[in-house]
Amino acid sequence: MEGVLWYVLAGTRGGTNRARILRALDDRPRNANQLAEDLDLDYKTVRHHLDVLMDNDVVRNSGDDYGAVYLPTEQARDHWGTVEEIITEVE
């Protein structure tokens, strides 16, 4: 999981935004629209990054696709020290 986290948060062009999204979700679960507003990002951009994070088992959603609320997976929580290290490095 640590390799996946480094790749999706620091190893790709969108990693900084994914790190911001993950930090916001750590604060409290939110839907894509709330994330877009809170982080001042385009909704489609947020959806893309959420899809990448979901594909890599970093976040999960609860609910249907449109109103789904996102939160970090247990696997990401188990490696939260690595997440914090990466977020510090990419900011």
Coordinates of all heavy atoms in Angstrom, one line a residue:
M1 N 0.8 -1.2 0.0 CA 0.0 0.0 0.0 C 0.9 1.3 0.0 O 0.5 2.3 -0.6 CB -0.9 0.0 1.2 CG -1.9 1.1 1.3 SD -2.9 1.2 -0.2 CE -4.2 2.3 0.3
E2 N 2.0 1.2 0.7 CA 2.9 2.4 0.7 C 3.3 2.8 -0.7 O 3.3 4.0 -1.0 CB 4.1 2.2 1.6 CG 3.7 2.1 3.1 CD 4.9 2.0 4.0 OE1 6.0 2.3 3.6 OE2 4.7 1.6 5.2
G3 N 3.6 1.9 -1.5 CA 4.0 2.2 -2.9 C 2.9 2.8 -3.7 O 3.1 3.8 -4.4
V4 N 1.7 2.3 -3.5 CA 0.5 2.9 -4.1 C 0.3 4.3 -3.7 O 0.0 5.2 -4.5 CB -0.8 2.0 -3.8 CG1 -2.0 2.7 -4.3 CG2 -0.6 0.7 -4.5
L5 N 0.4 4.6 -2.4 CA 0.2 5.9 -1.8 C 1.2 6.9 -2.4 O 0.9 8.0 -2.8 CB 0.3 5.9 -0.3 CG -0.9 5.2 0.4 CD1 -0.6 5.0 1.9 CD2 -2.2 6.0 0.2
W6 N 2.5 6.5 -2.5 CA 3.5 7.3 -3.0 C 3.2 7.6 -4.5 O 3.4 8.8 -5.0 CB 4.9 6.7 -2.9 CG 5.5 7.0 -1.5 CD1 5.5 6.1 -0.5 CD2 6.1 8.2 -1.1 NE1 6.1 6.7 0.6 CE2 6.5 8.0 0.3 CE3 6.3 9.5 -1.7 CZ2 7.1 9.0 1.0 CZ3 6.9 10.4 -0.9 CH2 7.3 10.2 0.4
Y7 N 2.8 6.6 -5.2 CA 2.5 6.8 -6.6 C 1.3 7.8 -6.9 O 1.4 8.7 -7.6 CB 2.2 5.5 -7.3 CG 1.7 5.6 -8.7 CD1 2.7 6.0 -9.7 CD2 0.4 5.5 -9.1 CE1 2.3 6.2 -11.0 CE2 0.0 5.6 -10.4 CZ 1.0 6.0 -11.4 OH 0.6 6.2 -12.7
V8 N 0.2 7.5 -6.2 CA -1.0 8.4 -6.5 C -0.9 9.7 -5.9 O -1.6 10.7 -6.3 CB -2.3 7.7 -6.1 CG1 -2.6 6.4 -6.9 CG2 -2.5 7.4 -4.6
L9 N -0.2 9.9 -4.8 CA -0.1 11.2 -4.1 C 1.1 12.0 -4.5 O 1.1 13.3 -4.4 CB -0.2 11.1 -2.6 CG -1.4 10.4 -2.1 CD1 -1.3 10.2 -0.6 CD2 -2.7 11.2 -2.5
A10 N 2.2 11.4 -4.9 CA 3.4 12.1 -5.2 C 4.0 11.8 -6.5 O 4.8 12.6 -7.1 CB 4.5 11.8 -4.1
G11 N 3.7 10.7 -7.1 CA 4.4 10.2 -8.3 C 3.7 10.6 -9.6 O 4.2 10.3 -10.7
T12 N 2.6 11.3 -9.6 CA 1.9 11.7 -10.8 C 1.5 13.1 -10.7 O 1.5 13.8 -9.7 CB 0.6 10.8 -10.9 OG1 -0.2 11.0 -9.8 CG2 0.9 9.4 -11.1
R13 N 1.2 13.7 -11.9 CA 0.9 15.1 -12.0 C -0.2 15.6 -11.1 O -0.2 16.7 -10.6 CB 0.6 15.4 -13.5 CG 0.7 16.9 -13.8 CD 0.6 17.1 -15.2 NE -0.9 17.1 -15.6 CZ -1.4 17.4 -16.7 NH1 -0.6 17.5 -17.8 NH2 -2.7 17.4 -16.9
G14 N -1.3 14.8 -10.9 CA -2.4 15.2 -10.1 C -2.3 14.9 -8.6 O -3.2 15.1 -7.8
G15 N -1.1 14.4 -8.2 CA -0.9 14.0 -6.8 C -1.2 15.1 -5.8 O -1.7 14.8 -4.7
T16 N -0.8 16.3 -6.1 CA -1.0 17.4 -5.1 C -2.5 17.6 -4.8 O -2.9 17.7 -3.7 CB -0.4 18.7 -5.6 OG1 1.0 18.5 -5.8 CG2 -0.6 19.8 -4.6
N17 N -3.3 17.6 -5.9 CA -4.8 17.7 -5.7 C -5.4 16.5 -5.0 O -6.3 16.6 -4.1 CB -5.5 17.9 -7.0 CG -5.4 19.4 -7.4 OD1 -5.3 20.3 -6.6 ND2 -5.5 19.6 -8.7
R18 N -4.9 15.3 -5.3 CA -5.3 14.1 -4.6 C -5.0 14.1 -3.1 O -5.7 13.7 -2.3 CB -4.8 12.8 -5.3 CG -5.5 12.5 -6.6 CD -5.2 11.2 -7.1 NE -3.9 11.1 -7.8 CZ -3.7 11.5 -9.1 NH1 -4.6 12.0 -9.8 NH2 -2.5 11.4 -9.6
A19 N -3.8 14.7 -2.8 CA -3.4 14.8 -1.4 C -4.3 15.8 -0.7 O -4.7 15.5 0.4 CB -1.9 15.3 -1.3
R20 N -4.7 16.9 -1.4 CA -5.6 17.8 -0.8 C -7.0 17.2 -0.5 O -7.6 17.4 0.5 CB -5.7 19.1 -1.7 CG -4.5 19.9 -1.8 CD -4.7 21.1 -2.8 NE -5.8 21.9 -2.3 CZ -6.6 22.6 -3.1 NH1 -6.4 22.6 -4.4 NH2 -7.5 23.4 -2.6
I21 N -7.4 16.4 -1.5 CA -8.7 15.8 -1.3 C -8.6 14.8 -0.1 O -9.6 14.7 0.7 CB -9.1 15.0 -2.6 CG1 -9.5 16.1 -3.7 CG2 -10.2 14.0 -2.4 CD1 -9.6 15.5 -5.1
L22 N -7.6 14.0 -0.1 CA -7.5 13.0 1.0 C -7.4 13.7 2.4 O -8.0 13.2 3.3 CB -6.3 12.1 0.8 CG -6.2 10.9 1.6 CD1 -7.4 10.0 1.5 CD2 -4.9 10.1 1.2
R23 N -6.7 14.8 2.5 CA -6.6 15.5 3.7 C -8.0 16.1 4.1 O -8.4 16.0 5.3 CB -5.7 16.7 3.6 CG -5.7 17.5 4.9 CD -4.6 18.5 4.9 NE -3.4 17.7 5.3 CZ -2.2 18.3 5.6 NH1 -2.1 19.6 5.5 NH2 -1.2 17.6 6.0
A24 N -8.8 16.6 3.1 CA -10.1 17.1 3.4 C -11.0 15.9 3.9 O -11.8 16.1 4.8 CB -10.7 17.7 2.2
L25 N -10.9 14.8 3.3 CA -11.7 13.6 3.7 C -11.3 13.1 5.0 O -12.2 12.5 5.7 CB -11.6 12.5 2.6 CG -12.2 12.8 1.3 CD1 -12.0 11.7 0.3 CD2 -13.7 13.2 1.4
D26 N -10.1 13.3 5.4 CA -9.7 12.9 6.8 C -10.4 13.8 7.8 O -10.7 13.3 8.9 CB -8.1 13.0 6.9 CG -7.7 12.7 8.3 OD1 -8.1 11.7 8.8 OD2 -6.9 13.5 8.8
D27 N -10.6 15.1 7.4 CA -11.2 16.0 8.3 C -12.7 15.6 8.5 O -13.2 15.5 9.7 CB -11.2 17.4 7.7 CG -11.8 18.4 8.6 OD1 -11.6 18.4 9.8 OD2 -12.5 19.3 8.1
R28 N -13.4 15.3 7.4 CA -14.8 14.8 7.5 C -15.2 14.2 6.1 O -14.7 14.8 5.1 CB -15.7 15.8 8.0 CG -16.0 16.9 7.0 CD -17.0 17.9 7.6 NE -17.1 19.1 6.7 CZ -17.8 19.2 5.6 NH1 -18.5 18.2 5.2 NH2 -17.8 20.3 5.0
P29 N -16.0 13.2 6.1 CA -16.5 12.7 4.8 C -17.3 13.7 4.1 O -17.9 14.5 4.7 CB -17.4 11.5 5.2 CG -16.9 11.1 6.6 CD -16.5 12.4 7.2
R30 N -17.1 13.8 2.7 CA -17.8 14.7 1.9 C -18.2 14.1 0.6 O -17.6 13.1 0.2 CB -16.9 16.0 1.6 CG -16.4 16.6 2.8 CD -15.2 17.5 2.5 NE -14.4 17.7 3.6 CZ -14.0 18.9 4.0 NH1 -14.4 20.0 3.5 NH2 -13.2 19.0 5.1
N31 N -19.1 14.8 -0.1 CA -19.4 14.3 -1.5 C -18.5 15.1 -2.5 O -17.8 16.1 -2.1 CB -20.9 14.4 -1.8 CG -21.4 15.8 -1.8 OD1 -20.7 16.8 -2.2 ND2 -22.7 15.9 -1.5
A32 N -18.5 14.8 -3.7 CA -17.7 15.4 -4.7 C -18.0 16.9 -4.9 O -17.0 17.7 -5.0 CB -17.8 14.7 -6.1
N33 N -19.2 17.3 -4.8 CA -19.6 18.7 -4.9 C -19.0 19.5 -3.7 O -18.5 20.6 -3.9 CB -21.1 18.9 -5.0 CG -21.5 20.3 -5.4 OD1 -21.0 20.8 -6.3 ND2 -22.4 20.9 -4.6
Q34 N -19.2 19.0 -2.5 CA -18.6 19.6 -1.3 C -17.1 19.8 -1.4 O -16.5 20.8 -1.1 CB -19.0 18.9 -0.1 CG -20.4 18.9 0.3 CD -20.8 17.9 1.3 OE1 -20.3 16.8 1.4 NE2 -21.8 18.3 2.2
L35 N -16.4 18.7 -1.9 CA -15.0 18.8 -2.1 C -14.6 19.9 -3.1 O -13.7 20.7 -2.9 CB -14.4 17.5 -2.5 CG -14.3 16.4 -1.5 CD1 -14.1 15.0 -2.1 CD2 -13.2 16.7 -0.5
A36 N -15.3 19.9 -4.2 CA -15.0 20.9 -5.2 C -15.2 22.3 -4.7 O -14.3 23.2 -4.9 CB -16.0 20.7 -6.4
E37 N -16.2 22.6 -3.9 CA -16.4 23.9 -3.3 C -15.4 24.2 -2.3 O -14.8 25.3 -2.3 CB -17.8 24.0 -2.7 CG -18.9 24.0 -3.7 CD -20.3 24.1 -3.1 OE1 -20.4 24.3 -1.9 OE2 -21.3 23.9 -3.8
D38 N -15.1 23.3 -1.4 CA -14.2 23.5 -0.3 C -12.8 23.7 -0.7 O -12.0 24.4 -0.1 CB -14.3 22.3 0.7 CG -15.6 22.3 1.5 OD1 -16.4 23.2 1.4 OD2 -15.9 21.2 2.1
L39 N -12.4 23.0 -1.8 CA -11.0 23.0 -2.3 C -10.8 24.0 -3.5 O -9.7 24.1 -4.0 CB -10.5 21.6 -2.7 CG -10.5 20.6 -1.5 CD1 -10.1 19.3 -2.0 CD2 -9.6 21.1 -0.4
D40 N -11.9 24.6 -3.9 CA -11.9 25.5 -5.1 C -11.3 24.8 -6.3 O -10.4 25.3 -7.0 CB -11.1 26.8 -4.8 CG -11.4 27.9 -5.8 OD1 -12.5 27.9 -6.3 OD2 -10.5 28.7 -6.0
L41 N -11.9 23.6 -6.6 CA -11.5 22.9 -7.8 C -12.8 22.6 -8.6 O -13.9 22.6 -8.1 CB -10.9 21.5 -7.4 CG -9.6 21.5 -6.6 CD1 -9.3 20.1 -6.1 CD2 -8.5 22.0 -7.6
D42 N -12.6 22.4 -9.9 CA -13.7 22.0 -10.8 C -14.3 20.7 -10.4 O -13.5 19.7 -10.0 CB -13.1 22.0 -12.2 CG -14.2 21.6 -13.2 OD1 -15.1 22.5 -13.5 OD2 -14.3 20.5 -13.7
Y43 N -15.6 20.5 -10.4 CA -16.3 19.3 -10.1 C -15.7 18.1 -10.8 O -15.5 17.0 -10.2 CB -17.8 19.5 -10.3 CG -18.5 18.2 -10.0 CD1 -18.9 17.8 -8.7 CD2 -18.9 17.4 -11.1 CE1 -19.6 16.7 -8.5 CE2 -19.7 16.2 -10.8 CZ -20.0 15.9 -9.5 OH -20.7 14.7 -9.3
K44 N -15.5 18.2 -12.1 CA -15.0 17.1 -13.0 C -13.6 16.7 -12.6 O -13.3 15.6 -12.6 CB -15.1 17.5 -14.4 CG -16.5 17.5 -15.0 CD -16.5 17.7 -16.5 CE -18.0 17.8 -17.0 NZ -18.0 18.0 -18.4
T45 N -12.8 17.7 -12.2 CA -11.5 17.4 -11.7 C -11.5 16.6 -10.4 O -10.8 15.6 -10.3 CB -10.7 18.7 -11.4 OG1 -10.6 19.5 -12.7 CG2 -9.3 18.5 -10.9
V46 N -12.4 17.0 -9.5 CA -12.5 16.3 -8.2 C -13.0 14.8 -8.5 O -12.5 13.9 -8.0 CB -13.5 17.0 -7.3 CG1 -13.9 16.1 -6.1 CG2 -12.9 18.3 -6.8
R47 N -14.0 14.7 -9.4 CA -14.5 13.3 -9.7 C -13.4 12.5 -10.3 O -13.3 11.3 -10.0 CB -15.7 13.4 -10.7 CG -17.0 13.9 -10.2 CD -17.5 13.1 -9.0 NE -17.4 11.7 -9.4 CZ -18.4 10.8 -9.4 NH1 -19.6 11.2 -8.9 NH2 -18.2 9.6 -9.7
H48 N -12.6 13.0 -11.2 CA -11.4 12.3 -11.8 C -10.5 11.8 -10.7 O -10.1 10.6 -10.6 CB -10.7 13.1 -12.8 CG -9.4 12.6 -13.1 ND1 -9.2 11.5 -14.0 CD2 -8.1 12.9 -12.8 CE1 -8.0 11.1 -14.1 NE2 -7.2 12.0 -13.4
H49 N -10.1 12.7 -9.8 CA -9.2 12.3 -8.7 C -9.8 11.3 -7.7 O -9.1 10.4 -7.3 CB -8.7 13.6 -7.9 CG -7.8 14.4 -8.8 ND1 -6.7 14.0 -9.4 CD2 -7.9 15.8 -9.1 CE1 -6.1 15.0 -10.1 NE2 -6.8 16.1 -9.9
L50 N -11.1 11.5 -7.5 CA -11.8 10.5 -6.6 C -11.8 9.1 -7.3 O -11.6 8.1 -6.6 CB -13.2 10.9 -6.3 CG -13.3 12.1 -5.3 CD1 -14.8 12.6 -5.3 CD2 -12.9 11.6 -3.9
D51 N -12.0 9.1 -8.6 CA -11.9 7.8 -9.3 C -10.5 7.2 -9.2 O -10.4 5.9 -9.0 CB -12.3 8.0 -10.8 CG -13.8 8.3 -11.0 OD1 -14.6 8.0 -10.1 OD2 -14.1 8.8 -12.1
V52 N -9.5 8.0 -9.4 CA -8.1 7.4 -9.2 C -7.9 6.9 -7.8 O -7.4 5.8 -7.6 CB -7.1 8.5 -9.6 CG1 -5.7 8.1 -9.2 CG2 -7.2 8.9 -11.0
L53 N -8.3 7.7 -6.8 CA -8.2 7.2 -5.4 C -9.0 6.0 -5.1 O -8.5 5.1 -4.4 CB -8.6 8.4 -4.5 CG -7.6 9.6 -4.4 CD1 -8.2 10.7 -3.7 CD2 -6.3 9.2 -3.8
M54 N -10.2 5.9 -5.7 CA -11.0 4.7 -5.5 C -10.4 3.5 -6.2 O -10.3 2.4 -5.7 CB -12.4 4.9 -6.0 CG -13.2 5.8 -5.0 SD -14.9 5.9 -5.5 CE -15.5 4.2 -5.5
D55 N -9.9 3.7 -7.5 CA -9.3 2.6 -8.2 C -8.1 2.0 -7.5 O -7.7 0.8 -7.7 CB -8.9 3.0 -9.6 CG -10.0 3.3 -10.5 OD1 -11.2 2.9 -10.2 OD2 -9.8 4.0 -11.6
N56 N -7.4 2.8 -6.6 CA -6.2 2.4 -5.9 C -6.5 2.1 -4.4 O -5.6 2.0 -3.6 CB -5.1 3.4 -6.0 CG -4.6 3.5 -7.4 OD1 -3.7 2.6 -7.7 ND2 -5.0 4.4 -8.3
D57 N -7.8 1.9 -4.1 CA -8.3 1.6 -2.8 C -7.8 2.5 -1.7 O -7.5 2.1 -0.5 CB -7.8 0.1 -2.4 CG -8.5 -0.9 -3.3 OD1 -9.7 -0.7 -3.6 OD2 -7.8 -1.9 -3.7
V58 N -7.7 3.8 -2.0 CA -7.3 4.8 -1.0 C -8.5 5.4 -0.4 O -8.5 5.8 0.8 CB -6.4 5.9 -1.7 CG1 -6.0 7.0 -0.7 CG2 -5.1 5.2 -2.3
V59 N -9.6 5.6 -1.2 CA -10.9 6.1 -0.7 C -12.0 5.2 -1.1 O -11.8 4.4 -2.1 CB -11.2 7.6 -1.1 CG1 -10.2 8.5 -0.6 CG2 -11.5 7.7 -2.6
R60 N -13.1 5.2 -0.4 CA -14.3 4.5 -0.8 C -15.5 5.4 -0.7 O -15.4 6.5 -0.1 CB -14.5 3.3 0.1 CG -14.8 3.6 1.6 CD -15.0 2.3 2.4 NE -15.3 2.6 3.8 CZ -16.5 2.8 4.2 NH1 -17.6 2.8 3.4 NH2 -16.7 3.1 5.5
N61 N -16.6 5.0 -1.3 CA -17.8 5.8 -1.2 C -18.9 5.1 -0.5 O -18.9 3.8 -0.5 CB -18.2 6.3 -2.6 CG -18.7 5.2 -3.5 OD1 -18.8 4.1 -3.1 ND2 -19.0 5.6 -4.7
S62 N -19.8 5.8 0.0 CA -21.0 5.2 0.6 C -22.2 5.9 0.0 O -22.3 7.1 0.0 CB -21.0 5.4 2.1 OG -21.0 6.8 2.4
G63 N -23.0 5.1 -0.6 CA -24.2 5.7 -1.3 C -24.1 5.6 -2.8 O -23.2 5.0 -3.3
D64 N -25.1 6.2 -3.4 CA -25.1 6.1 -4.9 C -24.1 7.0 -5.5 O -23.5 7.8 -4.8 CB -26.5 6.4 -5.5 CG -27.0 7.8 -5.2 OD1 -26.2 8.6 -4.6 OD2 -28.1 8.1 -5.5
D65 N -23.9 6.9 -6.8 CA -22.8 7.6 -7.5 C -22.9 9.2 -7.4 O -22.0 9.8 -7.0 CB -22.7 7.2 -8.9 CG -21.4 7.6 -9.6 OD1 -20.4 7.5 -9.0 OD2 -21.5 8.1 -10.8
Y66 N -24.1 9.7 -7.6 CA -24.3 11.2 -7.6 C -24.1 11.8 -6.2 O -23.3 12.7 -6.0 CB -25.6 11.6 -8.1 CG -25.9 13.1 -8.1 CD1 -25.2 13.9 -8.9 CD2 -26.7 13.6 -7.1 CE1 -25.4 15.3 -8.9 CE2 -26.9 15.0 -7.0 CZ -26.2 15.8 -7.9 OH -26.4 17.2 -7.8
G67 N -24.7 11.3 -5.2 CA -24.7 11.8 -3.9 C -23.7 11.1 -2.9 O -23.8 11.3 -1.7
A68 N -22.8 10.3 -3.5 CA -22.0 9.5 -2.7 C -21.1 10.3 -1.8 O -20.6 11.4 -2.2 CB -21.1 8.6 -3.6
V69 N -20.9 9.9 -0.6 CA -20.0 10.5 0.4 C -18.7 9.7 0.4 O -18.7 8.4 0.4 CB -20.6 10.6 1.8 CG1 -19.6 11.1 2.8 CG2 -21.8 11.4 1.7
Y70 N -17.6 10.3 0.3 CA -16.3 9.6 0.2 C -15.5 9.7 1.6 O -15.6 10.7 2.3 CB -15.4 10.3 -0.9 CG -16.0 10.0 -2.2 CD1 -17.0 10.9 -2.7 CD2 -15.7 9.0 -3.0 CE1 -17.6 10.7 -4.0 CE2 -16.2 8.7 -4.3 CZ -17.2 9.6 -4.7 OH -17.8 9.4 -6.0
L71 N -14.8 8.7 1.8 CA -13.9 8.7 3.0 C -12.7 7.7 2.8 O -12.8 6.9 1.9 CB -14.7 8.2 4.2 CG -15.4 6.9 4.2 CD1 -15.6 6.4 5.6 CD2 -16.8 7.0 3.5
P72 N -11.7 7.9 3.6 CA -10.5 7.0 3.4 C -10.8 5.6 3.7 O -11.7 5.3 4.6 CB -9.5 7.6 4.4 CG -9.9 9.0 4.6 CD -11.4 9.0 4.5
T73 N -10.2 4.7 3.0 CA -10.4 3.2 3.3 C -9.7 2.9 4.6 O -8.8 3.6 5.1 CB -9.9 2.4 2.2 OG1 -8.5 2.6 2.0 CG2 -10.6 2.7 0.9
E74 N -10.0 1.7 5.1 CA -9.3 1.2 6.3 C -7.8 1.0 6.0 O -6.9 1.2 6.8 CB -9.9 -0.1 6.8 CG -11.3 0.2 7.5 CD -11.1 1.1 8.7 OE1 -10.2 0.9 9.5 OE2 -12.0 2.0 8.9
Q75 N -7.6 0.5 4.7 CA -6.2 0.3 4.3 C -5.4 1.6 4.3 O -4.3 1.6 4.7 CB -6.3 -0.4 2.9 CG -5.0 -1.0 2.4 CD -5.1 -1.7 1.1 OE1 -6.1 -1.6 0.5 NE2 -4.1 -2.4 0.7
A76 N -6.0 2.7 3.8 CA -5.3 3.9 3.9 C -5.1 4.4 5.3 O -4.1 4.9 5.7 CB -6.1 5.0 3.1
R77 N -6.1 4.2 6.2 CA -6.0 4.5 7.6 C -4.9 3.8 8.3 O -4.2 4.3 9.1 CB -7.3 4.2 8.3 CG -8.4 5.2 7.9 CD -8.4 6.4 8.8 NE -9.5 7.2 8.4 CZ -9.4 8.5 8.4 NH1 -8.3 9.1 8.8 NH2 -10.4 9.3 8.1
D78 N -4.7 2.5 7.9 CA -3.6 1.7 8.4 C -2.2 2.2 8.1 O -1.3 1.9 8.8 CB -3.7 0.2 8.0 CG -4.9 -0.5 8.6 OD1 -5.5 0.0 9.6 OD2 -5.3 -1.6 8.0
H79 N -2.2 3.0 7.0 CA -0.9 3.5 6.5 C -0.9 5.1 6.6 O -0.3 5.8 5.8 CB -0.6 3.1 5.1 CG -0.3 1.6 5.0 ND1 -1.4 0.7 4.8 CD2 0.8 0.9 5.1 CE1 -0.8 -0.5 4.8 NE2 0.5 -0.4 4.9
W80 N -1.7 5.6 7.6 CA -1.9 7.1 7.6 C -0.5 7.8 7.9 O -0.4 8.9 7.5 CB -2.9 7.4 8.6 CG -3.5 8.8 8.3 CD1 -3.2 10.0 9.0 CD2 -4.3 9.1 7.2 NE1 -3.8 11.0 8.3 CE2 -4.5 10.5 7.3 CE3 -4.9 8.4 6.2 CZ2 -5.3 11.2 6.3 CZ3 -5.7 9.0 5.3 CH2 -5.9 10.4 5.4
G81 N 0.4 7.2 8.6 CA 1.7 7.9 8.8 C 2.4 8.1 7.4 O 3.0 9.2 7.2
T82 N 2.3 7.2 6.5 CA 2.8 7.4 5.2 C 2.1 8.5 4.4 O 2.7 9.3 3.8 CB 2.8 6.1 4.4 OG1 3.5 5.1 5.1 CG2 3.3 6.3 3.0
V83 N 0.7 8.5 4.6 CA -0.1 9.5 3.9 C 0.4 10.9 4.4 O 0.6 11.8 3.6 CB -1.6 9.3 4.2 CG1 -2.4 10.5 3.8 CG2 -2.1 8.1 3.6
E84 N 0.5 11.1 5.7 CA 1.0 12.4 6.3 C 2.3 12.7 5.8 O 2.6 13.9 5.5 CB 1.0 12.3 7.8 CG -0.4 12.3 8.4 CD -1.2 13.6 8.3 OE1 -0.6 14.6 8.1 OE2 -2.4 13.5 8.3
E85 N 3.3 11.8 5.7 CA 4.6 12.1 5.2 C 4.6 12.6 3.8 O 5.2 13.5 3.4 CB 5.4 10.8 5.3 CG 6.8 10.9 4.8 CD 7.6 9.6 4.8 OE1 7.1 8.6 5.4 OE2 8.7 9.6 4.2
I86 N 3.7 11.9 3.0 CA 3.6 12.3 1.6 C 3.0 13.7 1.4 O 3.5 14.5 0.7 CB 2.8 11.3 0.8 CG1 3.5 9.9 0.8 CG2 2.5 11.7 -0.7 CD1 2.7 8.8 0.3
I87 N 1.9 13.9 2.2 CA 1.2 15.2 2.1 C 2.2 16.3 2.5 O 2.2 17.4 1.9 CB 0.0 15.2 3.0 CG1 -1.1 14.4 2.4 CG2 -0.5 16.6 3.2 CD1 -2.3 14.1 3.2
T88 N 3.0 16.1 3.5 CA 4.0 17.1 3.9 C 5.0 17.4 2.8 O 5.4 18.5 2.6 CB 4.7 16.6 5.2 OG1 3.7 16.5 6.3 CG2 5.8 17.6 5.7
E89 N 5.4 16.3 2.2 CA 6.4 16.5 1.1 C 5.8 17.2 -0.2 O 6.5 18.0 -0.8 CB 6.9 15.1 0.7 CG 8.1 15.2 -0.3 CD 8.8 13.9 -0.5 OE1 9.1 13.3 0.4 OE2 8.9 13.5 -1.7
V90 N 4.6 16.9 -0.5 CA 4.0 17.5 -1.8 C 3.5 18.9 -1.6 O 3.3 19.6 -2.5 CB 2.9 16.6 -2.4 CG1 3.5 15.3 -2.8 CG2 1.7 16.5 -1.5
E91 N 3.3 19.3 -0.3 CA 2.8 20.7 -0.1 C 3.9 21.7 -0.2 O 5.0 21.7 0.0 CB 2.1 20.8 1.2 CG 0.8 20.1 1.2 CD 0.0 20.2 2.5 OE1 0.6 20.3 3.6 OE2 -1.2 20.2 2.4

